[in-house]
Amino acid sequence: MGGRRTQRKHFRDGREDTWKNNKSDTQQPNADLHWQPFAVENAAFNEYYKEQGIVRPEEWDSFIDCLRKPLPAAFRINSSSQFCKDLKSQLEDNFTKSLQAEGTDGNEAEGIKSLPWYPDNFAWQSSFSRMQLRKNKKLERFHEFLKQENEIGNITRQEAVSMVPPLFLDVHRDHFVIDMCAAPGSKTFQLLEMIHKGAEVGALPNGMVVANDVDVQRCNLLIHQTKRMCTSNLVVTNHEAQHFPSCHLKKNLVNGSESGMSQLLFDRVLCDVPCSGDGTLRKAPDIWRKWSVGMANGVHCLQLQIAMRGLALLKSGGRMVYSTCSMNPVENEAVVSEILRRCGDSVELVDVSSELPQLIRRPGLKTWKIRDKGVWLASHKDACKHGRSGIVPSMFPSGQAHSDASDDTNDKPTTITDEVEDGKSDNNGDVDAAADVFVAVVSSLPLERCMRFVPHDQNTGAFFVAVFHKISQLPACLASTHFAVQTKSNKQSREREYDSDEKVKQEENKDANGMDITNVEATPNTDVLEGEHKDINGSNEEVTVDEDCNPSKKLRVQSPNKPKSRADKANDKRKLQIQGKWYGVDPVVFFKDDAILTGIKEFYGIKESFPFYHHLITRNSDTNHVKRIYYISESVKNVVELNFSAGEQLKITSIGLKMFERQTSREGIATACVFRISSEGLPLLLPHMTKQIASAPPVDFKHLLKYKSIKFQDLVNDVFREKVSSLSLGCCVVILNQGNECLSDPPVVDKSTIAIGCWKGRSSLSVMVTAIDCQELLARLLVRFDAKIESLPDVNCEEADDARVKEDSETVTTSVD
């Protein structure tokens, strides 16, 4: 008790605010109060990569100088955006010239340019870093443009080399694609663009994309990114990539499958695996001080597991791209080499040197060296002699041994181990002195078909890409027992690398998140009551990520589960019944309320040709309290039906396109349909609607975007006023009459049609679009119809600002209802 009284008295007396700057200290000339930049130097990094020879010795200075410079900002225009051509024209005719004329820091050559290797000039790169865009006043207008268009979804801010892997997948509209390590979602967005490329208005592709990530928080980021695409052909899952479920039916259920599918296999697989991330040094300079050889050695087995799982999920005749944002051959060529060795003739490494000819790339390495804790290792046997349990055989190149020594060698190649046994190493066991007789093993596999991208070739980050073609089914001998041994030894080495303070910190991070990640290959009889799972060796891992890539995994120490009381178990059982199989994730339920569906269809006049029934789902098992209804394509519907039949093996965090949302009027007006059309679902549904549509001239369309709510008597066009007055109370759609003349009823919808969702009240028409979308759309219209719109008088709306509708600003969470 005395301690508590002392503590209370201590707080009453107050304490000095150590975070508050002392003015007297800031006035001292020698006070070091300024932030110091990261040191862009690491001796171990230089020694390691000079020895690996990823660049020629004469290029080293250019290579390292480029790594020390900030990374230029890059972005990509969404090719499926309605305004993609307008954006490209704005960049070519406006920003390119203005930024070159202004320049920064006296350099008039700086500006923006399209990346010549990206198709249709949809990818752009500026000469300015992200820091310059934020701090330089001359670039403020361009920076605001990037932020706004990225938030809306018209562009995606993405590192240039990060755009490369999806381009080599050769995705078509009818392909089933999986992105195994998808977050934060920039590559998934690319894949969705490819699926939707050339789609007709109101039509959906036959293919789909499954975007998977191990971290539930990163899945939320992934959902937020891909939501801007407004697609019904996407499923987001939360699994460990190396344990992604097979999702297949039992033999006795194959014939009874509603979808006609017996197993979920993919035409294309993207494995952008977790890695050490040293290819992002220009974007994340803190990696300089953190970098060590162990970062790459520690993730090699995980990368190999994910790649092998990806090949198992790939159809025969399909293509898989393996990529990392690392320069380390242990994570790159070593993984590719082991894949080819294991798979034999069932998989081949594709030569894509003729594709994207303007993209500068370098061939993969045929030989490399392994280093661990200051020691160069010649072979796995050598690693065992040095007690390096974390070094596995797949890290070493396999093939014919070659030596640079001029003298003749014996049939048995000389290795570092031989020199150590001869007593030629120093007392500390350092074998660097024997490097001159190190025997390099040159791989006999066609690893030159891999692609390595280095920063100073095209002023980018570093990346590695390999393309595989699956010829036939994988050999049956590819069992998981061999990987279990490798991963166990790898785990033990990683445990020694993290001290106790780091483990405590990671444990605190786990508690702060409130939930561990459930990643288990489920079976129909699996009941997951806890969001917690260990890998095949009992270890748990967390992912630390960068905005454009998948970085390294770290060991996470977990405390044992506390025994649960009877009340807690009953509560868990009740949650399982409400939420579905997966803890913390809402169930996927087909919406089958015929009365509500018939009412929606009749209210909006949805055509019979539109596949409506059996394509609507919700995330709430209580259909009487459904808030949102999602639309899924035929391909996604087949996957959902297969997942149900297989025992819900897929842990689905997001699915489909939000089509309808329950809306109540603030005026208390009873409407014939309480579900309004969401902004995301409007482009898909509009071509199939025959009711609740009004065509507005540019002046009234502009006023709606500007004032958000307008009374009927303040509408300028008489025909538009009469049409709006004749609509039923509730949700409606207003289409811009670009010709400023009456259109057919219902209007003809094409790719150029601009439409917004509105709410018709007793005496006013209100826009149901977010403020940022209104601002962007108004800016686009001013460019297209500047002379027509600006010459018309503004309407006098004194109370317009008070009549605004609540913006549709739903936050992204795992529980969507």
Side-chain angles (χ1 to χ4, degrees):
M1 295 295 295
R4 293 187 189 137
R5 285 196 297 270
T6 303
Q7 189 179 38
R8 286 198 295 271
K9 180 178 182 299
H10 178 70
F11 280 113
R12 282 201 305 270
D13 294 342
R15 301 179 67 184
E16 181 183 0
D17 187 357
T18 57
W19 295 101
K20 187 175 182 180
N21 289 333
N22 191 333
K23 293 183 178 180
S24 61
D25 292 340
T26 58
Q27 295 175 355
Q28 296 178 5
N30 296 328
D32 187 12
L33 300 177
H34 298 290
W35 174 82
Q36 297 295 326
F38 293 108
V40 288
E41 183 67 35
N42 187 312
F45 176 90
N46 294 347
E47 179 186 1
Y48 183 80
Y49 279 115
K50 280 183 178 179
E51 191 69 25
Q52 298 293 4
I54 61 172
V55 297
R56 294 185 295 272
E58 60 269 21
E59 292 182 86
W60 178 261
D61 291 340
S62 300
F63 165 73
I64 205 71
D65 289 344
C66 188
L67 274 179
R68 292 168 179 164
K69 296 178 181 178
L71 183 70
F75 58 93
R76 185 171 42 77
I77 301 175
N78 179 4
S79 59
S80 62
S81 170
Q82 188 177 22
F83 302 106
C84 61
K85 293 183 179 179
D86 292 351
L87 289 168
K88 191 156 54 169
S89 298
Q90 185 175 1
L91 290 168
E92 293 171 347
D93 302 332
N94 188 350
F95 284 113
T96 300
K97 298 177 181 178
S98 62
L99 293 176
Q100 286 180 347
E102 292 176 358
T104 57
D105 301 328
N107 187 358
E108 296 183 357
E110 291 181 331
I112 61 173
K113 62 179 181 179
S114 63
L115 296 173
W117 46 266
Y118 199 92
D120 301 321
N121 289 337
F122 278 133
W124 290 70
Q125 179 170 294
S126 74
S127 299
F128 317 110
S129 66
R130 291 180 298 175
M131 180 65 72
Q132 287 177 303
L133 290 174
R134 289 194 297 265
K135 301 297 183 181
N136 196 309
K137 290 295 182 181
K138 295 181 180 181
L139 304 175
E140 183 175 0
R141 177 169 162 263
F142 179 59
H143 187 218
E144 290 300 321
F145 164 82
L146 292 179
K147 289 194 300 182
Q148 178 171 302
E149 300 299 338
N150 181 75
E151 179 65 25
I152 294 171
N154 289 333
I155 69 169
T156 298
R157 302 180 71 176
Q158 182 181 3
E159 187 178 348
V161 287
S162 176
M163 306 175 191
V164 172
L167 296 179
F168 287 104
L169 266 181
D170 188 29
V171 175
H172 298 167
R173 285 174 47 80
D174 59 342
H175 282 165
F176 277 46
V177 187
I178 181 171
D179 188 351
M180 300 194 69
C181 308
S186 55
K187 296 182 183 67
T188 305
F189 206 102
Q190 276 183 275
L191 298 174
L192 289 169
E193 290 180 39
M194 297 173 183
I195 290 289
H196 286 272
K197 185 177 181 180
E200 298 295 331
V201 176
L204 293 174
N206 295 325
M208 62 164 295
V209 175
V210 174
N212 177 73
D213 201 82
V214 66
D215 191 303
V216 68
Q217 299 298 330
R218 282 169 54 83
C219 280
N220 286 338
L221 176 60
L222 173 61
I223 294 168
H224 175 71
Q225 286 275 48
T226 54
K227 178 184 175 182
R228 306 171 303 143
M229 183 66 190
C230 300
T231 178
S232 60
N233 296 62
L234 173 68
V235 177
V236 178
T237 60
N238 175 214
H239 293 279
E240 288 182 339
Q242 69 272 28
H243 299 145
F244 191 88
S246 298
C247 196
H248 60 84
L249 297 180
K250 295 181 179 179
K251 292 182 179 180
N252 59 342
L253 295 177
V254 172
N255 295 330
S257 174
E258 296 181 8
S259 64
M261 298 174 58
S262 60
Q263 184 176 2
L264 181 58
L265 295 176
F266 298 90
D267 302 280
R268 298 290 185 266
V269 175
L270 176 60
C271 287
D272 187 49
V273 297
C275 64
S276 62
D278 59 14
T280 64
L281 279 166
R282 301 184 66 183
K283 184 174 59 178
D286 59 311
I287 297 179
W288 280 106
R289 60 182 176 86
K290 299 177 181 179
W291 188 92
S292 68
V293 173
M295 293 172 63
N297 295 344
V299 293
H300 169 84
C301 288
L302 174 65
Q303 294 165 339
L304 189 51
Q305 280 185 300
I306 294 176
M308 292 300 298
R309 186 59 188 151
L311 286 172
L313 295 170
L314 185 64
K315 295 179 182 178
S316 295
R319 175 177 284 199
M320 185 184 85
V321 167
Y322 173 86
S323 63
T324 74
C325 55
S326 168
M327 296 179 284
N328 203 315
V330 174
E331 303 174 75
N332 299 326
E333 284 89 351
V335 174
V336 173
S337 177
E338 182 66 9
I339 291 172
L340 295 175
R341 188 190 67 81
R342 288 175 177 238
C343 297
D345 295 334
S346 60
V347 171
E348 69 172 343
L349 194 60
V350 183
D351 182 4
V352 291
S353 57
S354 60
E355 300 180 23
L356 304 179
Q358 292 183 289
L359 177 63
I360 301 177
R361 81 226 40 199
R362 301 191 179 207
L365 301 177
K366 300 280 285 187
T367 182
W368 59 91
K369 300 179 181 180
I370 303 301
R371 187 175 177 87
D372 184 61
K373 297 183 179 179
V375 178
W376 290 103
L377 304 172
S379 64
H380 183 251
K381 183 184 295 186
D382 193 20
C384 294
K385 290 182 179 180
H386 285 81
R388 303 293 189 258
S389 59
I391 304 301
V392 294
S394 58
M395 293 181 179
F396 296 86
S398 58
Q400 185 178 1
H402 296 269
S403 176
D404 294 334
S406 58
D407 57 324
D408 295 334
T409 58
N410 299 326
D411 293 338
K412 178 184 175 182
T414 304
T415 64
I416 293 181
T417 305
D418 299 326
E419 297 297 332
V420 174
E421 291 175 351
D422 292 340
K424 295 184 179 180
S425 62
D426 58 19
N427 294 331
N428 296 326
D430 189 358
V431 294
D432 288 341
D436 56 338
V437 292
F438 192 102
V439 176
V441 177
V442 179
S443 176
S444 57
L445 298 169
L447 299 181
E448 68 279 0
R449 297 179 183 177
C450 301
M451 293 173 286
R452 174 175 269 102
F453 303 93
V454 292
H456 61 291
D457 279 345
Q458 288 183 309
N459 195 19
T460 62
F463 228 79
F464 177 88
V465 177
V467 183
F468 294 93
H469 172 69
K470 187 174 182 179
I471 301 173
S472 60
Q473 292 298 320
L474 301 182
C477 61
L478 294 179
S480 61
T481 54
H482 180 58
F483 258 117
V485 176
Q486 289 189 352
T487 310
K488 183 175 180 180
S489 61
N490 192 30
K491 169 205 164 200
Q492 293 172 351
S493 66
R494 279 181 285 149
E495 285 178 338
R496 292 194 296 267
E497 292 180 6
Y498 293 95
D499 56 18
S500 58
D501 292 337
E502 181 67 15
K503 292 182 180 181
V504 171
K505 181 179 178 181
Q506 292 171 353
E507 180 67 18
E508 292 174 350
N509 291 338
K510 184 197 74 171
D511 293 338
N513 292 333
M515 183 176 71
D516 287 330
I517 304 164
T518 303
N519 297 291
V520 57
E521 184 170 344
T523 60
N525 297 324
T526 303
D527 291 333
V528 182
L529 295 179
E530 294 296 326
E532 181 176 315
H533 176 65
K534 294 184 178 181
D535 65 12
I536 56 179
N537 295 301
S539 66
N540 285 273
E541 295 175 327
E542 66 178 357
V543 180
T544 57
V545 299
D546 190 80
E547 70 178 78
D548 287 326
C549 68
N550 300 292
S552 60
K553 284 198 165 191
K554 295 182 179 179
L555 186 67
R556 178 167 57 195
V557 180
Q558 295 184 351
S559 59
N561 296 331
K562 296 180 179 179
K564 290 189 175 183
S565 64
R566 182 176 301 177
D568 291 335
K569 292 180 180 179
N571 187 39
D572 285 340
K573 185 176 181 180
R574 183 167 58 254
K575 286 182 178 180
L576 181 65
Q577 294 172 347
I578 296 174
Q579 297 180 347
K581 177 175 180 177
W582 297 100
Y583 178 82
V585 178
D586 293 331
V588 177
V589 181
F590 278 102
F591 190 77
K592 299 179 180 180
D593 192 318
D594 291 335
I596 294 179
L597 294 179
T598 301
I600 292 175
K601 191 171 183 180
E602 292 179 353
F603 184 78
Y604 295 110
I606 300 175
K607 299 176 183 178
E608 292 293 335
S609 59
F610 182 67
F612 189 67
Y613 296 101
H614 309 296
H615 286 261
L616 297 175
I617 63 168
T618 180
R619 304 305 300 269
N620 190 346
S621 57
D622 185 0
T623 56
N624 295 324
H625 296 86
V626 169
K627 295 180 180 179
R628 303 176 187 92
I629 301 176
Y630 299 82
Y631 186 87
I632 58 176
S633 65
E634 181 68 22
S635 56
V636 173
K637 181 176 78 72
N638 292 336
V639 171
V640 172
E641 291 174 348
L642 172 64
N643 189 43
F644 285 155
S645 302
E648 295 187 59
Q649 297 181 24
L650 295 179
K651 182 182 178 184
I652 299 175
T653 60
S654 178
I655 185 172
L657 173 67
K658 187 172 70 173
M659 183 70 77
F660 302 106
E661 189 167 10
R662 190 182 294 272
Q663 179 75 32
T664 56
S665 173
R666 294 187 305 171
E667 300 173 353
I669 304 174
T671 61
C673 180
V674 296
F675 283 91
R676 69 177 178 90
I677 304 174
S678 70
S679 298
E680 294 96 322
L682 180 58
L684 176 61
L685 188 62
L686 181 58
H688 306 281
M689 291 175 56
T690 59
K691 298 179 182 178
Q692 293 296 103
I693 305 175
S695 178
V699 59
D700 283 322
F701 202 87
K702 171 203 170 184
H703 290 160
L704 280 171
L705 294 174
K706 184 175 181 180
Y707 300 111
K708 309 299 188 297
S709 182
I710 299 180
K711 295 185 179 298
F712 294 156
Q713 62 267 25
D714 293 325
L715 295 174
V716 176
N717 188 274
D718 296 335
V719 177
F720 178 57
R721 186 189 310 111
E722 293 176 2
K723 180 61 179 177
V724 171
S725 301
S726 65
L727 299 177
S728 300
L729 297 177
C731 179
C732 63
V733 179
V734 175
I735 293 179
L736 172 62
N737 184 348
Q738 301 187 37
N740 200 20
E741 59 186 5
C742 294
L743 300 177
S744 60
D745 192 12
V748 178
V749 177
D750 55 26
K751 292 184 178 181
S752 64
T753 301
I754 299 175
I756 56 175
C758 296
W759 187 270
K760 184 206 170 181
R762 286 197 182 104
S763 59
S764 63
L765 186 66
S766 302
V767 176
M768 307 191 78
V769 181
T770 61
I772 188 171
D773 286 331
C774 284
Q775 181 182 355
E776 161 66 12
L777 191 53
L778 187 59
R780 293 287 156 216
L781 296 183
L782 290 176
V783 173
R784 287 192 180 185
F785 306 101
D786 190 19
K788 295 180 181 179
I789 294 181
E790 292 301 322
S791 62
L792 296 172
D794 280 345
V795 66
N796 184 15
C797 297
E798 296 179 356
E799 300 179 356
D801 292 338
D802 297 330
R804 297 187 179 184
V805 184
K806 183 181 179 181
E807 295 176 359
D808 178 23
S809 55
E810 175 192 359
T811 57
V812 180
T813 58
T814 301
S815 297
V816 294
D817 270 326

